[in-house]
Amino acid sequence: MATDAVAQLADSLAKTLVTEGELSYKGQGRKFDNAQSVEEMVKEIQEFKGLKALRLEGNTYGVEAAQAIAKALETKSEFKYCYWSDMFTGRLRSEIPPALNSLGAALMTAGARLTVLDLSDNAFGPDGVKGIEKLLKSTACHTLQELRLNNCGMGIGGGKILAAALTECYKQSSAQGTPLGLKVFIAGRNRLENDGATALAQAFQLMGSLEEVHVPQNGINHPGVTALATAMQHNPQLRVLNLNDNTFTKKGAIAMAQALKHLRSIQVINFGDCLVRSEGAIAIAEAVTEGLPILKELNLSFGEITGEAALLVAQSVEGKATLEKLDLNGNCLGEEGCDDLREVMDGLNMGDLLGSLSDDEGEPEEDDDDEEEDEDEEDEDEEEGDEDDEEEDDEDEEDDEDDVEEEEDSSVNQVSSPLSVPRSPDAASFLCFPSPDKLLKLGTKRALLFEQQVDVADAGKTAEAFLKISSVYNEEDEQVKSAVLDSIDAILRKAFASPSFQGYNFVSSLLVMLGLLKSEDKVKPVHVVPGHLQALEYVVRQDYFPQDHIAVLEAFMHVQALESCSSARNILKSTLEQVRPEN
């Protein structure tokens, strides 16, 4: 499923070939709050002749520290490579834009011509994109070849700002005779959704220079997928296309298949967990048969593809001498269908290139009825999407509620159908017996499923759901971590947005369930794990969490029950002190 997408993305992010002119502070885990804390770094930057690359990732920088570093960069005219991912951990979101603004301004002052800008894993949201907007529009980015913004929480608003900045950069650079030739674009896990993806698609179509596009796990449905498909046709040098864990359905898959017919340089196609369905898979198989002479990887896993369609996909790779892997795991083949697929691949002398089929969902009962119902659902989604577009006031990611309502109708239809094929455990099953695997198998609509399952009008039930979900939090597993935070975000944002929600009741219920506060009711405390506190540390930094609840949580940080999670407790305590409102 999405695991392959994450591995592929990590591999792509790791491919950095700078060997000279580089100064690195990567992964030191240090905290730089002010100018004094970076004095040594600033001196080294100033004294480094011919500085081309600066690695700041894996540390955390405050505004003053960033400004001091920026001052040192103002004379580095040969500078090309910004490796600035994961450099704001534990910082308030409000600190990030001014820090980015100062660094960007320094590069413009220096007359730098960037090749790589990597700001992944900074969770800066739409405001963070505004922090790099001027830089992206400037001559410093006219030479940009790689833009990496994975896991930054840009949202729809951030996606639109980014698209406008790239468009402006392209127009200005073209006017000077050197049009922007961006080759690599990475923006997974950013909640771009249809509107953000569509805006970026327009910029991609204009540039026409892309070689790699990675936008997995962005909540993009068939309107956004179709827009991206159109844009990809205008990028003939495209080699890698990764849209893993978005929702194509038949319409999006057919549109993307049409685009593939124009892309003879494509080597890696990752449409895993995209719900391409059988008709979409057949269209993609046709595109593969007709072209794609240097295809290396084709991932159509977890797409509700039936046995017959899977066989057509297998037959389509015949004669592809460069093929290294075909992934059709997690579809609806059934035992016999899996055997037939293996037989076809063996007959093509490609049996060793077929990925595992261990997660096959089994043969559906009535394919035709399912397909007809799916078409009806898609039509309903499209009509509702049009209504949402008309009502939308362009309020950046605050408009997510309309999109959720659209998806909610579709999800209800799918669940209520007696003929639909279950793709994963439901939210109720997870909340009864939480596990990371169950959470991931809920797919891209997990947040929506939890919103439907959890009664957010009940503060106690909301607190209980928070603890269940956060119990599987894993700091070392980015996929699980992201799934947990996305799910918690959806539930709590909806809860606190309601005027009738009892915020204090939520906090007190949380404290009781964690064993930090005694209750008149007989409530059995949960076994406290680091994930509970790590997720809570994330929540208190979000704009929806009321600041007047901070002091209540802070008062219980010394309770003995938290000693088993002292490290996570200390981080939470530090964050509470930082976000505490001034008297």
Side-chain angles (χ1 to χ4, degrees):
M1 278 195 331
T3 304
D4 290 335
V6 174
Q8 184 185 73
L9 196 54
D11 179 63
S12 179
L13 289 169
K15 291 177 180 176
T16 303
L17 303 179
V18 182
T19 56
E20 60 177 326
E22 177 180 294
L23 186 57
S24 177
Y25 301 93
K26 180 180 178 180
Q28 296 181 5
R30 298 172 64 185
K31 187 176 183 181
F32 301 103
D33 293 324
N34 48 44
Q36 184 179 0
S37 65
V38 292
E39 282 182 351
E40 183 179 345
M41 184 186 300
V42 167
K43 183 179 179 182
E44 290 177 350
I45 293 172
Q46 291 172 334
E47 295 177 353
F48 197 113
K49 304 299 182 183
L51 181 66
K52 295 181 180 179
L54 179 61
R55 290 188 172 276
L56 298 176
E57 66 264 52
N59 302 292
T60 177
Y61 303 83
V63 176
E64 290 184 15
Q67 290 172 340
I69 294 170
K71 189 67 177 176
L73 289 172
E74 288 182 353
T75 60
K76 304 301 178 181
S77 60
E78 298 179 49
F79 195 79
K80 294 183 178 182
Y81 306 95
C82 302
Y83 298 111
W84 298 347
S85 63
D86 188 22
M87 56 181 284
F88 296 113
T89 300
R91 299 292 171 183
L92 296 177
R93 183 170 287 187
S94 60
E95 294 181 84
I96 302 176
L100 291 175
N101 264 318
S102 60
L103 289 166
L107 298 179
M108 290 185 277
T109 300
R113 294 293 184 269
L114 297 183
T115 300
V116 176
L117 178 58
D118 184 357
L119 288 166
S120 297
D121 301 316
N122 278 314
F124 47 48
D127 289 341
V129 184
K130 292 178 183 178
I132 59 172
E133 186 178 8
K134 290 182 180 178
L135 174 64
L136 288 172
K137 291 180 178 180
S138 73
T139 55
C141 286
H142 286 187
T143 53
L144 194 64
Q145 294 184 16
E146 299 184 16
L147 180 58
R148 303 165 182 260
L149 297 169
N150 194 56
N151 192 30
C152 286
M154 291 189 289
I156 295 171
K160 289 181 176 180
I161 296 169
L162 177 61
L166 290 174
T167 299
E168 183 65 22
C169 182
Y170 178 81
K171 290 180 177 179
Q172 290 188 15
S173 59
S174 296
Q176 295 181 16
T178 55
L180 171 65
L182 190 68
K183 294 181 179 180
V184 177
F185 180 84
I186 298 176
R189 297 177 184 160
N190 271 290
R191 297 185 181 180
L192 296 172
E193 301 185 21
N194 290 332
D195 288 350
T198 299
L200 285 167
Q202 294 170 355
F204 296 162
Q205 182 169 331
L206 191 64
M207 291 186 291
S209 57
L210 289 166
E211 296 180 8
E212 291 188 31
V213 174
H214 300 261
V215 285
Q217 298 181 351
N218 269 293
I220 307 170
N221 299 323
H222 72 78
V225 172
T226 300
L228 287 170
T230 301
M232 293 306 103
Q233 295 182 38
H234 297 268
N235 287 265
Q237 300 306 311
L238 191 69
R239 295 181 294 103
V240 178
L241 183 56
N242 176 7
L243 278 88
N244 189 286
D245 208 1
N246 290 291
T247 307
F248 283 32
T249 61
K250 180 183 73 175
K251 292 181 180 180
I254 290 175
M256 196 59 75
Q258 282 297 116
L260 292 176
K261 294 180 179 180
H262 299 266
L263 302 172
R264 295 188 59 82
S265 298
I266 201 83
Q267 295 178 19
V268 177
I269 299 171
N270 189 340
F271 297 160
D273 207 16
C274 284
L275 205 64
V276 298
R277 296 203 170 110
S278 295
E279 287 190 64
I282 292 170
I284 292 171
E286 180 184 349
V288 174
T289 301
E290 294 179 6
L292 313 189
I294 56 174
L295 183 65
K296 290 183 177 180
E297 296 182 23
L298 176 59
N299 183 349
L300 296 178
S301 61
F302 297 89
E304 290 191 358
I305 300 169
T306 58
E308 292 180 358
L311 292 179
L312 291 175
V313 173
Q315 291 164 2
S316 75
V317 300
E318 182 178 5
K320 305 296 180 186
T322 56
L323 191 72
E324 297 175 358
K325 184 177 182 181
L326 173 63
D327 191 347
L328 287 166
N329 196 19
N331 284 299
C332 305
L333 311 185
E335 186 175 346
E336 185 177 342
C338 289
D339 290 339
D340 291 343
L341 180 59
R342 294 188 186 97
E343 184 178 341
V344 168
M345 292 297 288
D346 286 339
L348 297 174
N349 293 319
M350 291 178 152
D352 58 333
L353 306 183
L354 179 64
S356 170
L357 299 175
S358 61
D359 293 321
D360 186 72
E361 296 282 358
E363 190 174 357
E365 293 179 9
E366 296 183 36
D367 299 340
D368 293 340
D369 288 346
D370 276 344
E371 291 292 340
E372 290 175 6
E373 287 183 3
D374 292 338
E375 289 178 23
D376 292 341
E377 288 167 9
E378 287 187 82
D379 291 338
E380 290 175 11
D381 284 348
E382 185 171 20
E383 291 172 6
E384 291 168 11
D386 292 340
E387 292 174 5
D388 285 342
D389 288 341
E390 291 173 5
E391 296 173 0
E392 200 168 67
D393 294 324
D394 193 20
E395 297 178 0
D396 297 343
E397 56 187 358
E398 294 299 325
D399 290 344
D400 288 355
E401 186 174 343
D402 289 337
D403 296 330
V404 169
E405 290 174 358
E406 171 191 345
E407 292 179 11
E408 185 174 324
D409 291 339
S410 172
S411 181
V412 168
N413 287 339
Q414 291 172 356
V415 172
S416 63
S417 169
L419 300 177
S420 61
V421 180
R423 296 179 61 241
S424 59
D426 57 22
S429 173
F430 169 85
L431 291 172
C432 288
F433 303 99
S435 75
D437 185 59
K438 280 185 181 179
L439 183 65
L440 295 180
K441 284 186 176 180
L442 288 175
T444 55
K445 293 187 178 180
R446 63 177 70 89
L448 170 65
L449 295 175
F450 282 125
E451 283 189 44
Q452 294 173 340
Q453 184 65 34
V454 179
D455 180 10
V456 295
D458 187 320
K461 291 180 179 178
T462 304
E464 183 179 6
F466 168 85
L467 292 175
K468 293 276 190 180
I469 298 170
S470 62
S471 68
V472 303
Y473 182 98
N474 186 346
E475 187 70 30
E476 302 302 320
D477 189 329
E478 283 297 324
Q479 190 180 4
V480 173
K481 175 181 175 181
S482 178
V484 168
L485 297 184
D486 285 351
S487 302
I488 287 172
D489 245 344
I491 295 172
L492 295 188
R493 189 175 293 278
K494 182 178 179 181
F496 282 108
S498 172
S500 61
F501 184 69
Q502 300 292 321
Y504 277 109
N505 285 351
F506 167 79
V507 173
S508 62
S509 296
L510 207 58
L511 294 172
V512 168
M513 294 175 190
L514 287 170
L516 308 182
L517 180 66
K518 290 184 178 181
S519 170
E520 294 179 0
D521 300 321
K522 293 184 178 180
V523 177
K524 183 179 180 180
V526 301
H527 173 66
V528 182
V529 296
H532 291 142
L533 306 184
Q534 290 166 323
L536 187 57
E537 189 272 342
Y538 166 83
V539 167
V540 299
R541 290 188 279 112
Q542 305 311 303
D543 54 9
Y544 56 74
F545 191 83
Q547 287 194 327
D548 53 357
H549 297 349
I550 299 295
V552 179
L553 290 172
E554 219 177 345
F556 289 85
M557 288 300 101
H558 301 285
V559 176
Q560 185 67 28
L562 299 181
E563 280 302 314
S564 61
C565 306
S566 58
S567 179
R569 186 269 313 273
N570 292 339
I571 294 173
L572 172 57
K573 181 182 176 184
S574 176
T575 299
L576 289 170
E577 291 173 355
Q578 291 178 29
V579 300
R580 182 202 306 143
E582 297 180 4
N583 295 327

